[in-house]
Amino acid sequence: MQIYEELKARGLVAQVTSEEEVADLLNNGKATFYIGYDCTADSLTAGHFVTLTLMKRLQMAGNKPIALIGGGTTTIGDPSGRTDMRKMLTLEDINHNAECFKRQMSRFIDFGEGPGQAMMLNNADWLLNLNYVDLLREVGACFSVNNMLRAECYKQRMEKGLSFLEFNYMIMQSYDFYHMFQAVGCNMQCGGNDQWSNMLGGTELIRRKLGKDSHCMTINLLTDSQGNKMGKTAGNAVWLDPNRTSPFDFYQYWRNVGDADVMKCIRWLTFLPLEEIDAMDKWEGSQLNRAKEILAYELTKLVHGGAEAEKAQETARGLFTGGGSTEHMPSTELPAARFENGQIGAIALLTACGLCPSNAEARRLIQQGGLTVNGRKVTDIAAAFDQADFQGEGVVIKKGKKVFHRAYIR
RNA sequence: GGGGGAGUUCCAGAGCGGUCAAAUGGGGCAGACUGUAAAUCUGUUGCUUCGGCUUCGGUGGUUCGAAUCCACCCUCCCCCA
């Protein structure tokens, strides 16, 4: 099976400009494609992960990837599918974030000078020096405001308001494609399906200015069976940076996906062969727990490496099925100052470990029976623990049913 | 430029001088049930040294007392140009 057919079989492909031509490019290693990443935070998220795996798959099939860091476009902010305007970032923040992205991507993607190796570019290099009038004359004439306003991605903003700044995002993105088409022979753009209209802007611009064809392919957005975006917990992203989302928490996120979503995730995100996945398709009921383990393990391995994946799996098994080690669960070293007369109160312990943001919430948690320390349920908000207990391995705090944390002192 | 409307706690959205830390729904968290799933049910959901303290776009003002009234400002929406 060739790569394009495999992508389809995995259910990834959403839209393509021309199925025939895109398949030809990709299957024969003729594509030099780019995927853009706006650096609005200092870490990539699980949301970006889907496109990163796409990049890797296409690279493995012999195509040349360009990871485009949006150092320039981030200064504008993509309004696609958003109901509010993004916070404006300073140039320093953006540069810092771009550096972080670069480091993370290098874990998956093979960058270098060779023919199949990936390039990394930053659109700040060409966007930031554009001259307004020149730009208007060069590309402004190629865009129809009428069409732009009709674009699906602005739909929500037509009610809530769309600033001119953000409206220009599409033009900047189109310019990127146009620029790279000429500068580095980039003939294809890939991205999430929410980017479709922005992406078409680029092919249109290239056709108008240069009379040449270029292509786009979007992949489906990763949503659960309810239609909610995946890769978020309580509105917070699941990060790829181990300091933001520990490998254990990352593992747990995927270990906990719903029954209805496991196989889809495995198909989309892992690199397991399709035959193997098809065989798992028959699993049902509690058997799916095995599939969830596979999913969590495979993804953790991709993002954090095999050693971390082993640790996370071992820790999770230990915690949920008894025994096992507590060594690799997220932990906090308590400073001696948190202890008073050699003790720390239950509420202070929860806030010190970042398990509860306020004393009130910690108190509530305890009163509602959601705290277990070293296997013993704590229901007294005045409970206190001896400093000596935190020596060595420390104590294991369990918040609710699934959040484990270790607190220790040196 | 002219006219009309709106900004409320994580989100949506009530409240329109005291009984408002603010209805209701969603989301979150916790409990029960379970398979570390889903669905369902229950509780909870500003902070606090539990005396209080700070919230209803911003700044001032009226009042014993304001999310609620007034002035100005900011932001957004709609209609006309």
Side-chain angles (χ1 to χ4, degrees):
Chain A
M1 190 185 288
Q2 290 190 287
I3 183 66
Y4 183 74
E5 283 67 37
E6 180 178 343
L7 293 178
K8 289 209 82 165
R10 285 182 184 271
L12 284 163
V13 180
Q15 301 187 74
V16 286
T17 41
S18 157
E19 186 140 55
E20 201 181 309
E21 292 178 54
V22 167
D24 175 55
L25 282 176
L26 294 179
N27 288 340
N28 298 302
K30 293 191 291 193
T32 297
F33 66 98
Y34 96 86
I35 301 181
Y37 297 91
D38 270 1
C39 30
T40 47
D42 64 6
S43 168
L44 290 157
T45 68
H48 294 118
F49 183 65
V50 193
T51 59
L52 284 173
T53 60
L54 173 70
M55 188 179 281
K56 191 177 170 82
R57 286 181 215 280
L58 295 181
Q59 180 173 41
M60 287 176 2
N63 298 287
K64 187 174 181 69
I66 299 172
L68 179 69
I69 301 289
T73 30
T74 307
T75 59
I76 309 279
D78 184 7
S80 298
R82 290 187 59 108
T83 52
D84 57 340
M85 187 163 142
R86 285 175 194 271
K87 179 172 140 243
M88 289 249 227
L89 296 167
T90 66
L91 231 49
E92 293 84 81
D93 285 340
I94 293 172
N95 287 139
H96 169 75
N97 294 346
E99 278 307 308
C100 294
F101 275 28
K102 208 172 196 169
R103 269 202 305 278
Q104 287 184 345
M105 285 181 188
S106 307
R107 289 196 60 103
F108 300 76
I109 308 295
D110 175 23
F111 287 96
E113 304 298 319
Q117 289 187 296
M119 292 200 272
M120 182 169 283
L121 300 175
N122 187 334
N123 62 18
D125 293 342
W126 55 85
L127 291 182
L128 260 32
N129 297 318
L130 288 173
N131 172 287
Y132 192 58
V133 174
D134 289 347
L135 179 75
L136 284 181
R137 291 174 62 97
E138 189 185 352
V139 309
C142 302
F143 285 88
S144 150
V145 172
N146 311 238
N147 279 141
M148 286 172 76
L149 288 174
R150 266 192 291 271
E152 178 68 24
C153 61
Y154 294 138
K155 211 169 167 188
Q156 286 185 64
R157 297 302 287 280
M158 293 314 286
E159 285 162 28
K160 290 264 183 178
L162 175 69
S163 69
F164 186 66
L165 173 80
E166 297 172 287
F167 184 56
N168 277 272
Y169 187 89
M170 182 192 275
I171 294 178
M172 296 294 104
Q173 183 166 336
S174 301
Y175 190 86
D176 284 343
F177 197 1
Y178 170 62
H179 174 87
M180 288 185 287
F181 183 87
Q182 298 175 90
V184 296
C186 174
N187 54 14
M188 185 167 168
Q189 179 177 182
C190 299
N193 200 224
D194 55 342
Q195 292 296 309
W196 183 244
S197 37
N198 285 344
M199 288 161 66
L200 286 181
T203 56
E204 187 65 19
L205 182 62
I206 290 166
R207 185 173 305 118
R208 290 223 194 186
K209 294 294 294 183
L210 308 169
K212 303 232 173 90
D213 282 336
S214 54
H215 297 279
C216 298
M217 175 171 80
T218 59
I219 53 172
N220 289 305
L221 267 13
L222 184 60
T223 52
D224 64 20
S225 52
Q226 317 278 306
N228 300 114
K229 259 192 199 173
M230 291 190 69
K232 286 190 187 243
T233 42
N236 295 314
V238 172
W239 304 94
L240 302 193
D241 180 345
N243 296 320
R244 282 193 174 234
T245 300
S246 70
F248 177 76
D249 287 333
F250 185 85
Y251 178 93
Q252 281 298 302
Y253 176 80
W254 300 105
R255 178 61 248 267
N256 281 306
V257 299
D259 281 12
D261 307 313
V262 214
M263 290 318 298
K264 176 175 168 179
C265 289
I266 289 185
R267 219 171 263 284
W268 281 29
L269 301 171
T270 72
F271 284 78
L272 295 175
L274 278 168
E275 305 83 72
E276 211 172 298
I277 297 174
D278 288 338
M280 291 156 82
D281 243 349
K282 294 181 210 61
W283 296 0
E284 52 185 39
S286 53
Q287 231 184 337
L288 283 171
N289 267 330
R290 177 70 197 128
K292 292 178 193 179
E293 259 195 344
I294 292 171
L295 172 70
Y297 179 81
E298 288 295 323
L299 298 190
T300 310
K301 187 166 121 192
L302 278 169
V303 176
H304 299 293
E308 287 297 331
E310 287 293 344
K311 285 187 208 165
Q313 182 155 72
E314 191 191 314
T315 305
R317 281 182 178 163
L319 290 171
F320 289 97
T321 53
S325 84
T326 59
E327 195 184 338
H328 308 296
M329 75 174 76
S331 59
T332 300
E333 181 189 330
L334 297 172
R338 300 294 308 218
F339 292 87
E340 267 179 59
N341 302 323
Q343 292 204 310
I344 185 168
I347 293 175
L349 181 60
L350 284 166
T351 52
C353 293
L355 293 169
C356 292
S358 68
N359 291 349
E361 194 159 310
R363 188 175 305 115
R364 224 174 277 134
L365 179 83
I366 296 167
Q367 284 167 342
Q368 293 182 138
L371 175 65
T372 304
V373 176
N374 275 346
R376 278 202 307 278
K377 196 163 209 166
V378 178
T379 47
D380 179 8
I381 57 168
F385 306 94
D386 291 327
Q387 190 163 4
D389 296 344
F390 292 85
Q391 222 93 48
E393 281 287 286
V395 304
V396 174
I397 303 164
K398 184 178 169 204
K399 173 184 173 257
K401 288 193 192 73
K402 288 189 278 202
V403 181
F404 290 89
H405 199 93
R406 188 165 61 88
Y408 63 96
I409 51 174
R410 269 190 307 128

